[in-house]
Amino acid sequence: MNNELEKLYTRIIQRTTINLRELEFDVKPYVWDLIPPGQMEKFYAFYGITDNHPISFYFKHSGLAGSYFLGKSQVINSLLYKSDIRGDELKKKGDVLQFKNFEIELSKDEEIYIEDSALIKTMVHNYSHDPESLEQFFIKNTVATHYSNIHGAPCDGCFIEPFATVDLTTVHDCVIGAFSYIQAGEINHLKIMPGTIWVRSPDNFDFAYRHPRNRLKKYIDFTAESQPQGIFINFMEERKEAFERIFNAMNLESPEPLPDTSSLDRYAVVDLQTQIGENVLVAQRAFLKNAWLGKGANVQENCFVINSRLEGLNITAHGAKIIEADLGRNVFVGFNSFLQGKANSRLTVGKECVIMPHTIIDINEPLVIPERYVVWGLINDEKDLANNSLPIDDFLAIENKLEKGPMTFEGSGKSFITAFQKRIHHILEVNGAFFDGKDNRGHAQKNQDISFNTIQPYPKGTLKGLYPTISIQP
Amino acid sequence: MNNELEKLYTRIIQRTTINLRELEFDVKPYVWDLIPPGQMEKFYAFYGITDNHPISFYFKHSGLAGSYFLGKSQVINSLLYKSDIRGDELKKKGDVLQFKNFEIELSKDEEIYIEDSALIKTMVHNYSHDPESLEQFFIKNTVATHYSNIHGAPCDGCFIEPFATVDLTTVHDCVIGAFSYIQAGEINHLKIMPGTIWVRSPDNFDFAYRHPRNRLKKYIDFTAESQPQGIFINFMEERKEAFERIFNAMNLESPEPLPDTSSLDRYAVVDLQTQIGENVLVAQRAFLKNAWLGKGANVQENCFVINSRLEGLNITAHGAKIIEADLGRNVFVGFNSFLQGKANSRLTVGKECVIMPHTIIDINEPLVIPERYVVWGLINDEKDLANNSLPIDDFLAIENKLEKGPMTFEGSGKSFITAFQKRIHHILEVNGAFFDGKDNRGHAQKNQDISFNTIQPYPKGTLKGLYPTISIQP
């Protein structure tokens, strides 16, 4: 890494560490070697222009290698490596947000504001749900690592380990352990252990689970002075080359006649066996190999669908992987879930199941999940499944509390399930799954006319790898 | 063409026509159909970043399809179609320009400023030589058409026909006829007839020639309500596909081991038979097929070298074509010259010859031009050559006046030849022909590390084909 870049990275790490001083957490040994020298100047960055959302980009004194920008965003004094800053669901001027008894109107279009932060292969999406900062979805003094998701979650002073997700949560001065999923409204000064799944709605419900540390390590292991390791990392590495080809061509042809109502991003990898139905959204950095996608299915960023069939109205949330599996209609697969069937031991998921975010199902015998189940945790066989699932109807009946294996649930099961179902409906809606040829247009229909623009860093000199100051306005 | 684009084009044409009212020249019938509908949104534009010259781009309310920007430039309310705005030879803050007895110091870096203009396949390069406007190389209220060159020539209120060149000349309210070459210091309110070659240095010399109208038509014919036609246009059209391939790939490999001291632009077309020596510059949009380029040769933008050998220190100025020819050392081939030998009737040009800009040599018998000749005009055979050339030494001897066929020369032959030789030396120098491994670095050595950035227009809506407002600063 050359001088200016190194200085910038040092400064970002230092700022994050200062924010985390209460937790006595030193960021540097974890991340210093994560951005390989030479990589920051090697890849172009790119941004999309559509006529569906306001154009506004501002980049200053930052490295942006391989990163993608779609919505309104500012990036200042930051290093983004192969990260996605989508922002096409940001709130707009005049939108009214209901927060408890308050109706708050936006005074201007929301923007994603990234300052003094380093994001490595991080997905930033959705809109900020912090009523204190409706117009700014901020990410400050934060280091986020491989395949983490920052989803509607403003962060200040955070260290986010690989494959962790912060979702609809404002996060101040926290360490989020590897493969943790946090959806908790607001958290402060916490060190979240790896593999924690925590879904909390204050006064309504609190779902908590932690992946067994010794079994999780096989999938993702992240320690100081070492690259992240494990099955998740290997899985991504093995498919890296397929993406290189598509990032290296200006124009690509669609492999298949695609329905008019569906969109397949030009930065997705798709083979010729794949079949795409109506109202389907395939986002960039998605990977489809012999995938059958029924009407209204979506495959979001960093998702992989391999030798699998999705009947329709399926949500495959950011980072989810579905291999050798058959999913019924309306199955929801949460963020970064890893559903690994095998050719001789396929996974079958019944219709309307909810696979909680960050669930691992990795089987060596065929496994069938019945219809309408909620599934979580780490599942290698029938026994694990029995310990880590519950029929939705049983969940709906919980009034106070339930403990099942390492999972604890407090509050109203109905409130929890209803919140999930509402969200699933909303996700399908914004993605265009319900488009009828006229109404209910969503990303699947709107994303068909994105034009992509590439930007490159200084190729030489002390600023090598950093980008010039770039402003793009309507 | 859609609404906003059409409005903008209408407005540009109107402004140019108003500037040309004294000449009673209506621009619209000549140009309205020159930008094919759909093309303005079809091609990306791109800009280069190096660490050799200041980065500064500003684009506002403009269409930029297929255009390239390298140096400091602003484009406002303009349509640029497959045009090159190079600007890597612009003057810098603090530079001192000698003009007669004045020494004028630049108060800021020069920029190319394009406003209310339409440029179609136009090459803009060099720096402005107007002492009245040292910091701004302006192109305003101007329409320039296919393969015209605006070379260090600020223009206001001009219509520039296909293959015309304005060189080191400030041009106000003029029509420059097809294939005319004007290098005259400053011109105002003139209608230059097609095929005029005019090189004037006030008080020193005045070279004037006009291609015979009836013979020129075969090569380039440009009339109202019709696309430009003729051999020049066909020549370009036939080679269009080769360029499409290179514009459609993000990264290309060099076809040949290239000397460290040479540069081959990634947007040049080169075949495997081509051999490139030391200190060679091959610019973007150059086309090389079985070309042998000796040490210090250069092939500039829009140049074609086919089945030809250039011994070394050759200048192939913007738009020149060299086919089936052998050129000795130090041969200069001026802008847009068309040297068309045939396989069985090759053209041989002796060392140190000066082929004047906009010369046509199109032969069906072998032709040999002896060493140290000045050559101009339209040459199909030995007889034409005799009428349209003079040994450099005879030219040096002219003290007052010479008429030869349709060519007239007034003034000092020595002053004319010396000016040319100085310029040739300067061109070789800035292009890096004299690089010795340490000193005299030029474009050939400096251009090796350009990084390219693509930008795209709005893909839909009323702004379709126009670009957002883009500002890029260091």
Side-chain angles (χ1 to χ4, degrees):
Chain A
M1 216 174 281
N2 65 54
N3 280 347
E4 274 297 314
L5 252 174
E6 194 169 307
K7 257 192 244 169
L8 180 58
Y9 198 30
T10 302
R11 186 169 165 272
I12 292 165
I13 290 169
Q14 191 184 53
R15 290 184 73 110
T16 307
T17 300
I18 289 168
N19 270 272
L20 293 171
R21 64 193 179 280
E22 262 188 61
L23 304 177
E24 295 184 347
F25 190 92
D26 185 5
V27 175
K28 190 168 178 180
Y30 285 85
V31 303
W32 186 250
D33 294 324
L34 290 194
I35 299 183
Q39 297 296 83
M40 287 306 290
E41 62 249 33
K42 195 169 154 190
F43 302 105
Y44 64 85
F46 54 120
Y47 58 90
I49 294 182
T50 75
D51 62 336
N52 290 310
H53 64 277
I55 291 179
S56 177
F57 301 108
Y58 183 76
F59 307 119
K60 190 179 168 74
H61 196 248
S62 294
L64 307 172
S67 296
Y68 173 56
F69 305 86
L70 183 57
K72 187 173 178 183
S73 44
Q74 290 200 45
V75 181
I76 298 168
N77 296 336
S78 294
L79 293 178
L80 274 56
Y81 179 66
K82 294 191 178 176
S83 290
D84 286 355
I85 314 302
R86 250 186 68 176
D88 54 332
E89 289 178 4
L90 293 171
K91 301 185 287 288
K92 293 208 167 67
K93 183 180 171 174
D95 284 1
V96 175
L97 217 80
Q98 184 82 34
F99 179 73
K100 295 190 174 166
N101 292 328
F102 300 98
E103 287 195 342
I104 320 173
E105 187 178 324
L106 262 77
S107 63
K108 53 179 183 177
D109 289 345
E110 185 185 10
E111 69 171 359
I112 297 177
Y113 183 89
I114 301 172
E115 191 175 16
D116 304 318
S117 294
L119 308 183
I120 302 167
K121 301 188 181 181
T122 299
M123 170 79 204
V124 180
H125 185 38
N126 210 263
Y127 65 87
S128 64
H129 285 67
D130 185 346
E132 294 175 25
S133 179
L134 288 177
E135 287 89 2
Q136 197 184 59
F137 177 173
F138 57 81
I139 299 174
K140 294 191 285 195
N141 310 308
T142 286
V143 178
T145 59
H146 305 63
Y147 309 108
S148 53
N149 295 300
I150 298 178
H151 194 255
C155 294
D156 187 0
C158 297
F159 178 58
I160 304 177
E161 295 189 0
F163 291 95
T165 299
V166 284
D167 188 13
L168 316 185
T169 300
T170 303
V171 191
H172 285 279
D173 305 337
C174 291
V175 174
I176 311 292
F179 203 57
S180 287
Y181 172 85
I182 307 300
Q183 183 194 328
E186 183 175 333
I187 61 173
N188 296 280
H189 299 265
L190 291 183
K191 187 167 190 295
I192 305 281
M193 298 308 286
T196 303
I197 316 300
W198 186 22
V199 185
R200 173 183 70 168
S201 170
D203 305 329
N204 292 312
F205 56 78
D206 188 317
F207 173 105
Y209 169 87
R210 184 168 297 146
H211 285 281
R213 190 73 183 262
N214 56 335
R215 287 171 67 191
L216 181 62
K217 268 194 171 174
K218 191 171 115 183
Y219 296 95
I220 179 69
D221 189 18
F222 185 61
T223 52
E225 276 151 16
S226 167
Q227 295 287 323
Q229 286 171 41
I231 289 171
F232 291 170
I233 295 288
N234 298 343
F235 182 90
M236 300 302 284
E237 288 291 318
E238 282 159 16
R239 283 150 188 93
K240 216 166 75 173
E241 268 182 35
F243 285 98
E244 281 171 8
R245 193 185 69 86
I246 54 167
F247 276 88
N248 196 24
M250 279 301 300
N251 294 300
L252 289 167
E253 282 165 26
S254 282
E256 273 289 306
L258 194 70
D260 287 347
T261 58
S262 297
S263 87
L264 168 63
D265 195 278
R266 63 84 81 222
Y267 289 105
V269 170
V270 188
D271 76 347
L272 293 169
Q273 275 68 54
T274 290
Q275 292 193 48
I276 294 176
E278 299 272 337
N279 294 357
V280 165
L281 173 77
V282 180
Q284 48 132 10
R285 298 194 216 265
F287 180 103
L288 302 178
K289 194 173 167 188
N290 188 25
W292 193 100
L293 303 180
K295 182 171 177 177
N298 67 59
V299 182
Q300 303 177 8
E301 283 86 347
N302 293 324
C303 284
F304 294 71
V305 180
I306 298 170
N307 297 333
S308 294
R309 182 179 174 100
L310 281 60
E311 285 301 327
L313 298 176
N314 300 78
I315 294 172
T316 312
H318 306 286
K321 287 130 202 125
I322 298 171
I323 306 117
E324 300 283 357
D326 299 293
L327 276 57
R329 277 170 68 83
N330 269 98
V331 167
F332 170 88
V333 179
F335 287 101
N336 281 350
S337 283
F338 185 70
L339 309 193
Q340 166 82 71
K342 310 275 155 61
N344 298 320
S345 51
R346 285 181 75 81
L347 172 67
T348 307
V349 183
K351 70 178 185 187
E352 294 167 34
C353 277
V354 173
I355 311 293
M356 292 283 291
H358 292 227
T359 297
I360 300 173
I361 304 179
D362 183 10
I363 50 175
N364 290 309
E365 300 287 332
L367 185 73
V368 176
I369 300 174
E371 292 175 21
R372 288 176 62 75
Y373 261 69
V374 183
V375 182
W376 61 85
L378 203 167
I379 294 166
N380 290 129
D381 51 29
E382 292 278 2
K383 196 177 137 240
D384 286 336
L385 177 62
N387 271 331
N388 291 295
S389 66
L390 205 67
I392 288 182
D393 295 325
D394 292 3
F395 223 116
L396 280 166
I398 303 172
E399 287 191 355
N400 253 317
K401 196 172 167 130
L402 176 87
E403 292 194 10
K404 192 164 184 189
M407 187 279 276
T408 60
F409 182 84
E410 288 179 31
S412 154
K414 190 174 172 188
S415 167
F416 178 76
I417 294 295
T418 310
F420 246 100
Q421 285 171 338
K422 263 194 192 167
R423 190 160 176 199
I424 289 170
H425 186 86
H426 172 72
I427 294 169
L428 289 171
E429 197 170 39
V430 297
N431 284 325
F434 304 132
F435 181 62
D436 61 5
K438 198 169 147 241
D439 293 324
N440 302 319
R441 288 168 61 85
H443 298 313
Q445 293 80 39
K446 291 180 191 170
N447 287 8
Q448 295 171 348
D449 288 291
I450 299 182
S451 68
F452 292 102
N453 300 263
T454 62
I455 48 179
Q456 303 248 18
Y458 287 97
K460 268 190 150 184
T462 54
L463 293 170
K464 186 172 172 178
L466 291 177
Y467 283 62
T469 303
I470 300 177
S471 155
I472 295 141
Q473 302 297 327
Chain B
M1 218 176 278
N2 66 52
N3 280 347
E4 273 298 314
L5 251 174
E6 195 170 308
K7 258 192 243 168
L8 179 58
Y9 199 30
T10 302
R11 185 168 166 273
I12 292 165
I13 290 169
Q14 191 184 54
R15 291 183 73 111
T16 308
T17 301
I18 288 169
N19 271 270
L20 294 170
R21 64 193 180 279
E22 262 188 61
L23 304 177
E24 294 184 349
F25 190 91
D26 184 5
V27 174
K28 191 169 177 179
Y30 285 87
V31 304
W32 185 250
D33 295 324
L34 290 193
I35 299 182
Q39 296 296 83
M40 287 304 291
E41 62 248 35
K42 196 170 154 188
F43 302 106
Y44 64 85
F46 54 119
Y47 58 89
I49 294 182
T50 74
D51 63 336
N52 291 308
H53 64 277
I55 291 178
S56 177
F57 302 108
Y58 182 75
F59 308 119
K60 189 179 169 74
H61 196 248
S62 294
L64 307 172
S67 295
Y68 173 58
F69 304 87
L70 183 56
K72 187 173 178 182
S73 44
Q74 289 199 46
V75 181
I76 297 168
N77 296 334
S78 294
L79 293 178
L80 274 56
Y81 180 66
K82 294 190 178 176
S83 289
D84 287 353
I85 313 301
R86 248 184 70 175
D88 54 331
E89 288 178 4
L90 294 171
K91 302 186 285 287
K92 293 209 166 66
K93 183 179 171 175
D95 284 359
V96 176
L97 216 80
Q98 185 82 35
F99 178 73
K100 294 189 172 163
N101 292 328
F102 299 98
E103 287 195 342
I104 320 173
E105 188 179 322
L106 262 76
S107 64
K108 53 178 182 177
D109 288 346
E110 185 186 11
E111 69 172 358
I112 297 178
Y113 183 88
I114 301 172
E115 192 177 16
D116 304 317
S117 294
L119 308 183
I120 302 167
K121 300 187 181 180
T122 299
M123 170 79 205
V124 180
H125 185 39
N126 210 264
Y127 65 88
S128 64
H129 285 67
D130 185 345
E132 293 175 25
S133 179
L134 289 177
E135 287 89 2
Q136 198 185 59
F137 176 174
F138 57 82
I139 298 174
K140 293 191 285 197
N141 309 307
T142 286
V143 178
T145 59
H146 304 63
Y147 308 109
S148 54
N149 294 301
I150 299 178
H151 194 253
C155 293
D156 188 0
C158 297
F159 179 58
I160 304 177
E161 296 188 1
F163 292 96
T165 299
V166 283
D167 188 15
L168 316 185
T169 300
T170 303
V171 191
H172 285 278
D173 305 338
C174 291
V175 175
I176 311 293
F179 203 57
S180 286
Y181 173 85
I182 307 300
Q183 183 194 327
E186 182 175 334
I187 61 173
N188 295 281
H189 299 264
L190 291 183
K191 188 169 190 297
I192 305 283
M193 299 307 287
T196 303
I197 315 301
W198 186 21
V199 184
R200 174 184 70 169
S201 169
D203 306 331
N204 291 313
F205 56 79
D206 189 317
F207 173 105
Y209 168 88
R210 183 168 296 147
H211 285 282
R213 190 72 184 260
N214 56 337
R215 288 171 66 192
L216 181 63
K217 268 194 172 172
K218 191 171 116 184
Y219 297 96
I220 180 69
D221 190 16
F222 185 60
T223 53
E225 275 150 17
S226 167
Q227 295 287 322
Q229 286 170 40
I231 289 171
F232 291 171
I233 295 288
N234 298 344
F235 182 89
M236 299 303 283
E237 288 291 318
E238 283 159 15
R239 284 152 189 91
K240 216 166 76 173
E241 268 183 34
F243 285 98
E244 281 171 7
R245 193 185 69 86
I246 54 167
F247 276 89
N248 195 24
M250 280 302 300
N251 294 300
L252 290 167
E253 280 166 26
S254 282
E256 273 289 305
L258 194 71
D260 287 348
T261 58
S262 297
S263 86
L264 168 62
D265 195 279
R266 64 86 77 222
Y267 289 105
V269 171
V270 188
D271 76 347
L272 294 168
Q273 276 68 54
T274 290
Q275 292 192 49
I276 294 175
E278 298 272 337
N279 293 358
V280 165
L281 172 76
V282 180
Q284 48 133 8
R285 298 195 215 265
F287 180 104
L288 302 177
K289 194 174 166 186
N290 188 24
W292 193 100
L293 304 179
K295 182 171 177 179
N298 68 60
V299 182
Q300 303 177 10
E301 283 85 346
N302 293 323
C303 285
F304 294 71
V305 180
I306 299 169
N307 297 333
S308 293
R309 183 179 172 101
L310 281 60
E311 284 301 328
L313 298 176
N314 300 79
I315 294 172
T316 312
H318 307 286
K321 288 130 200 122
I322 298 171
I323 306 116
E324 300 283 357
D326 299 294
L327 277 56
R329 278 171 69 83
N330 269 97
V331 167
F332 170 88
V333 178
F335 286 102
N336 280 351
S337 283
F338 184 70
L339 310 193
Q340 167 81 72
K342 309 277 154 60
N344 298 319
S345 51
R346 285 182 75 83
L347 171 68
T348 307
V349 183
K351 70 178 185 187
E352 294 169 33
C353 277
V354 173
I355 311 294
M356 292 282 292
H358 291 227
T359 296
I360 300 173
I361 304 179
D362 183 11
I363 50 176
N364 290 309
E365 299 287 331
L367 185 75
V368 176
I369 300 174
E371 291 176 19
R372 287 177 62 76
Y373 260 68
V374 183
V375 182
W376 60 87
L378 202 168
I379 294 165
N380 290 131
D381 52 27
E382 291 280 2
K383 194 177 139 241
D384 287 336
L385 177 62
N387 272 330
N388 292 293
S389 66
L390 205 68
I392 286 181
D393 295 326
D394 291 4
F395 222 117
L396 281 165
I398 303 171
E399 288 191 354
N400 253 316
K401 198 173 165 129
L402 176 88
E403 291 193 12
K404 190 161 188 196
M407 187 280 275
T408 60
F409 182 84
E410 287 179 31
S412 154
K414 190 174 172 189
S415 167
F416 177 77
I417 294 295
T418 310
F420 247 99
Q421 285 171 337
K422 262 193 190 166
R423 190 161 176 199
I424 290 170
H425 186 86
H426 173 72
I427 293 169
L428 289 170
E429 197 171 38
V430 296
N431 284 324
F434 304 132
F435 180 62
D436 61 4
K438 197 169 149 241
D439 293 325
N440 302 319
R441 287 168 61 86
H443 297 313
Q445 294 80 39
K446 290 180 191 170
N447 287 8
Q448 295 171 347
D449 287 291
I450 299 181
S451 69
F452 293 102
N453 300 262
T454 63
I455 48 179
Q456 303 248 19
Y458 287 98
K460 269 190 150 186
T462 54
L463 292 170
K464 187 173 171 178
L466 291 177
Y467 283 62
T469 303
I470 301 176
S471 155
I472 296 142
Q473 302 296 328

